[in-house]
Structures are given as structure tokens and as C-alpha cells.
Amino acid sequence: MNLGERVRDLTRLAFQLGNNWMTLAGAALTTSSAFVLIWFWFMEITSPRQIHPYAGILLFLILPALFLIGLVLIPVGILRLRRKRRLAGEPALPLQAVDFKQPGVRRLLTVVGILTFINVSIMGTAGMKGVEYMDSNRFCGLTCHTVMSPEYTAFMDSPHSRVGCAQCHIGHGAPALVKAKISGTRQLFAVAFGTYSRPIPSPVEHLRPARETCEQCHWPQKFTDDKLIVRTKYAEDEANTPSTTVLLLKIGGHTPNGTTGIHGRHLDAMERISYVSTDRRRQDIPKVTYRDDQGQLVEYVTEDYKKLSKEKLAEAITRKMDCVDCHNRPTHAFELPDRAVDKAISKGRMSAELPFLKKKAVELLKLDYPDQKTAAAKIPVDLAEYYRTAYPEIYKHKRAQVDTAGEVVKAIYLRNVFPEMKLMWGTHPNNIGHEEAVGCFRCHDGSHTAADGRSIASDCSTCHTILAQDEKDPKVLKDLGMK
Ligand code: HEC
Ligand code: HEC
Ligand code: HEC
Ligand code: HEC
Ligand code: HEC
């Protein structure tokens, strides 16, 4: 048989089998999506540009799906055609049974084999890229723009902005990945139909254990010594009077003589502390179980715990303490207006020379705005208007400072408040410290007592040495050469 005949054989067979709309549509769909996919992968290698997250959905999820649908349509079309002809009593299609004696069959099988190999390679690559893409920060943070915008914004502005979302949120291994993809699909529907909760609830119980995440980069053995904290606050008076607090925080850790301080006492090779909380945000902790140095279990409970009803107790959550019980906001840290404004002034981002700046800024930040757009438009204008009417001289001579302050206050709002997601000031309290939220005092408040009368340490020197408190010009900073 010469080449011409072989090709004719093959095409005749293909023509007979493909003579139905479904198979044709399938072939067209598969071929065209394969070309677009391959072209796109080529572009991805050769061009350094980032893919827009929505284009990503098309390229990584929809195109491969079309490719697969096309592949399925091809044989389904042939089967339907076969059935139709059988019912109509027409002569059967070729390849009723795989008959190697029939002309062209072997060749057709070879071609189908080669095509299948190519298809499997394309599907494999597409699948791998799809998973990779769905784990990327841009997909997690930007695709469902409004939904994830608070967490993404805070993340980008945190020490962890180079750590992947998936590194903290999705567990190791195939089961965790499948679980994440299933819940991810459900979430996509929730986004499409607008049924997601606002704000998104905190997912501590679904996070990877801290051993697998935090401790990969921060070894507990590395913590030792103390940490110096210098914090300046500004009063709500005309002069924005500053006062500075200096603390030596006993962050502690592992020493040759055992464990000490904040990191050492809660976390150890052995399980140290577990607790019972009665609310989902883990702010009410009526019972704490502690394994002391002798290995004895001590139960600290509050008066409230003894009064809890059976139903309440059944709903309560018991959790082993780990990093995220204190560092619940390692990357999605939302500030409160007071501290955010203090920080902006002390870092010199806006000028303390503007009278009543602290008071006015906090006031504007705390107003109710329907959405971010309105706040962004109103805050700078209102601040400028305040100085224009109350301090016309200052407005005239320090116009640039007023404008800068307006922009900084606006940025603080946009960074921390998302009315569209009902994420307002204080929606997600930060458990480090005890000034802005209950934090450490959830347990260290002096009211958690054991049967033998001991209570969880709560005097002020347990966690820090206060070197200066609310002083105008702390001497200690001069001694340290910091002023
Ligand atoms: C360093 C680890 C870490 C990284 C990286 C990280 N998260 Fe989180 N995320 C957390 C922790 C811890 C919580 C739970 C806080 C809690 O339960 O109080 C959380 C909570 C959330 C929540 C629930 C709402 C909330 O604010 O509590 C969302 C949504 C979220 N993260 C999305 C993301 C997205 C999107 C990214 C990537 C852009 C990301 N996370 C990256 C640690 C991380
Ligand atoms: C992939 C590595 C990585 C992982 C995983 C990781 N971190 Fe970090 N973390 C870093 C880096 C890098 C910094 C920044 C250090 C710096 O800026 O000096 C940092 C900084 C911090 C800081 C100091 C923040 C500050 O304001 O100075 C804390 C607290 C922290 N991480 C806690 C955590 C916790 C809790 C987890 C687990 C939920 C975690 N980290 C997971 C790499 C990581
Ligand atoms: C009992 C509460 C608590 C637990 C549990 C805890 N931390 Fe901390 N951690 C703190 C406090 C408080 C600070 C100091 C905060 C500050 O800088 O204001 C701190 C500081 C840090 C810092 C910054 C250190 C520096 O020198 O700036 C890192 C990194 C950190 N923690 C990681 C972790 C990791 C990882 C874990 C889990 C293995 C963990 N922490 C568990 C309370 C805790
Ligand atoms: C879930 C409850 C719980 C929370 C929340 C908690 N602790 Fe503790 N902490 C304990 C228990 C229990 C002990 C051990 C009992 C004791 O020494 O009083 C302890 C011990 C300590 C110690 C050692 C005290 C000593 O005398 O050696 C320090 C320091 C400490 N905690 C700091 C903190 C800081 C800082 C925070 C907040 C960032 C915090 N803890 C949050 C339960 C908690
Ligand atoms: C269980 C540990 C713990 C105990 C007990 C404790 N603190 Fe603190 N305190 C902290 C931590 C942690 C911070 C740092 C928080 C941060 O970095 O924002 C802090 C910060 C502070 C600050 C500075 C906060 C700011 O923003 O100005 C002051 C002031 C302070 N503590 C006073 C006290 C006083 C007074 C007591 C005794 C009634 C006390 N603390 C008891 C853990 C503790």
C-alpha cells in the first residue's frame, strides 16, 4: 500500500466515525483549547509579565475544562451515532469490534495512541499548573477581590508578605490538598452567589499546626533574652503632647537550664497548656490546664466556669496552645485608630505640629462610612476643611503638611476598615499584649485559680520590666544612646 492509500484509508475511517456534530464539536473544542493552552504556556515562559488573576481563572481552570469536555464528547458522539444507526437498521459503523484485519484500524489505533499521549501530557501540565496557580498568593488574595481584600491588604503590609497563603493555610500532603480544593470550590460558589459570611470567620481550627508552619522558619530554640519595646503615644490636646513607654519584654525561650519567659513557659517539647474557650473567637477562656515542671497537671478555672450550664460546656472548644493562640494576627494584623495614628506620627509620616491632629484624625477614622470609596473621598477633604476653618493661618502656611496628613489618615482607614466585608475597627482583636484587646489577660487576669489556691501569674513583672511609663523624655533612652 502506498502512502496515498494509507492516508485515504485513515481519513475514510475518521470521516465515517466523525460524521456527527458531537464528535466534531468535541474535536474542535479540544484542538482549539489545546492550541491556546500551549501558546499561553509558551508566552508564560518567554514573557515576564504577571497574569491578571481573572485571566488566570480562564487559563488555568476554564480552558483545561473545555479541553477535557471536548475529549469526552468525541467518543460519546461516536457511541450515539452507532446506536442511532443500529436502531434505524442502517449498516453498522466500522470498528464495531476492534478488528485488526480491517484496513486502517491498526494505523488509526497508532494515531489515537499518539494523540492520547499528547492529550495526557497536556492535561497533566494543565492540572499541575492549575493547582500551582490556585495556591498562589495572587489567586487567594485577589481573585475574590472584595472577599479577601482585608486579609490580602494586611498580609501585603506584614513581615510575612513573602510567605505563601497556602504555607499557613493548607496542610501537607494529598488529603489536605483535596480537602482544601473541595472547600475552595464551595467557596467559589459562595462568592458567585454572594452567600459568604461577612466578615470571614477566623479559621484557627483549619490552619496547619504551628509545628509545620511557624516553626519551619522560627525555631523555638532561637528565642532567648528580652525584647526592648519603645512606644510613643500622643495626647488629644492642641499640642499632641507625646509620652513614651519603654518596656523590656521577657520573651524568653529555651536555655541550657530549661525554659523561661513568654516563649519558654507556654511551649515545650512536652505539651504544656491546653484551654477551654466558650466563644468562637477564643476570647473567653474560663479553664486552663497546665503541666508544671514536675509533670503534674494543674487545672485553673474561673468562678464563671463553675456556673456554666451543661449545654454551654458541650459547645465549648478545647485547644492545645500553640503559636497562633498569642500570634493570632501574625500577618493579617488590623490596627485600632489610636495606635495607628500614634505610630504614623511617631514615625514622622505626619506632623505633630498640626494642632489637635491626633484628636481630629482619630475622630475622622471612627466615623461610619458606607464603603471605602466614600471614606477615601471624605477623609482628606474633611481634615483640610477643619484646618481651613479652625486654623486658617496654619492652613495657609502649612498646606503641604495638612494634605500629607489627610492622605496618611485616609491610608490608615483603607488599610484597616472594610465596610463591604463588615470588617470594622476591632473585628479581629490581636491577642498580643493587653492594651487593645484582652490578649494575655484572657488567662493572666488573676482570677484563674487552682484547687490548691494558686493562680496564673498576673503581676506586672511577670512578662515585662517597665523601664519608663508615659514619660515625656525617658532617661533610659538617653542612657541607651537612643535619643
Ligand atoms: C504567616 C501565616 C499566614 C499567612 C502567610 C497567611 N495567613 Fe491567613 N491567617 C493566618 C492565621 C494565623 C489566621 C487565623 C487568625 C485567627 O484565627 O484569629 C488567618 C486567617 C485568615 C482568614 C480568616 C479571616 C481572618 O482575618 O481571621 C482569611 C480569609 C485568610 N487568613 C486569608 C489569607 C490569604 C488570602 C493569605 C495570602 C494572601 C493568607 N491568609 C496568608 C495566618 C496566615
Ligand atoms: C516561610 C517562613 C516563615 C513562616 C512559615 C512564618 N514566618 Fe514569621 N517571619 C518570617 C520572616 C522572614 C519574618 C520577618 C523577620 C524580620 O522582618 O526581621 C517573620 C517575622 C515574624 C514575627 C515578627 C513580626 C514583627 O512585627 O516583627 C512574628 C511574631 C512571626 N513572624 C510569627 C510567625 C508565626 C506565628 C508564624 C506561623 C503562623 C510564622 N511567623 C510563620 C518568616 C516566616
Ligand atoms: C504566650 C504567648 C506567645 C506564644 C505562645 C508565642 N509567642 Fe511569639 N511572641 C509573643 C510576644 C508577647 C512577643 C513580643 C511581641 C512584640 O514584639 O510586641 C513575641 C515575639 C515573637 C517574635 C518576634 C521576636 C523578636 O525578637 O522580635 C517571633 C518571631 C515569634 N514571637 C514567633 C513565635 C512562634 C514561632 C511561636 C510558636 C512556636 C510563638 N511565637 C509563640 C508571645 C507568644
Ligand atoms: C490560654 C491561657 C494563656 C494565655 C492566653 C497566655 N498565657 Fe502565659 N501562661 C499560662 C499558664 C497556664 C502559665 C503557667 C502557669 C504560671 O506560671 O502561672 C503561663 C506562664 C506564663 C509566663 C511565665 C510565668 C512564670 O512565672 O514563669 C509568662 C512570662 C507568660 N505566661 C506570658 C504570657 C504572655 C505575654 C501572654 C500573652 C501574649 C500569655 N502569657 C498568654 C497561660 C496563658
Ligand atoms: C501575661 C503577661 C503580662 C502581664 C501580667 C502584664 N503585661 Fe503589660 N504587656 C504585656 C505584653 C506582651 C505587652 C506588649 C504588647 C505589645 O507589644 O503591644 C505589654 C505592654 C504593656 C504596656 C505598653 C502598652 C502600650 O501600648 O502602651 C504597658 C504600659 C503595660 N504592659 C503595663 C502593664 C501593667 C501595669 C501590668 C500589671 C497590671 C501589666 N502590664 C501586666 C504582657 C503583660
Side-chain angles (χ1 to χ4, degrees), residues 137 140-141 147-148 151-152 155 160 163-169 200-204 207 282 324 327-332 334 423 428-429:
N137 295 346
C140 301
V147 187
M148 288 290 154
E151 279 73 29
Y152 189 69
F155 161 86
H160 292 110
V163 179
C165 314
Q167 279 205 42
C168 290
H169 282 284
I200 307 267
S202 292
V204 145
L207 277 180
R282 301 173 310 282
V324 297
H327 297 283
N328 63 331
R329 303 272 128 208
T331 187
H332 318 294
F334 300 104
L423 198 155
H428 289 303

Side-chain angles (χ1 to χ4, degrees), residues 431-478:
N431 292 337
I432 292 281
H434 49 77
E435 287 260 304
E436 297 195 297
V438 199
C440 313
F441 288 4
R442 289 173 300 162
C443 300
H444 290 270
D445 62 349
S447 73
H448 290 70
T449 44
D452 62 5
R454 275 190 287 173
S455 62
I456 301 180
S458 64
D459 56 83
C460 307
S461 61
T462 310
C463 308
H464 43 57
T465 312
I466 303 181
L467 301 176
Q469 191 165 1
D470 295 329
E471 290 179 22
K472 188 164 170 290
D473 232 342
K475 181 175 165 298
V476 55
L477 290 184
K478 282 199 201 81

Side-chain angles (χ1 to χ4, degrees), residues 159-160 163 167-168 210 213-218 227 323-324 327 330:
H160 292 110
V163 179
Q167 279 205 42
C168 290
T213 54
C214 321
E215 293 188 14
Q216 297 304 309
C217 301
H218 307 285
K227 177 173 180 177
C323 314
V324 297
H327 297 283

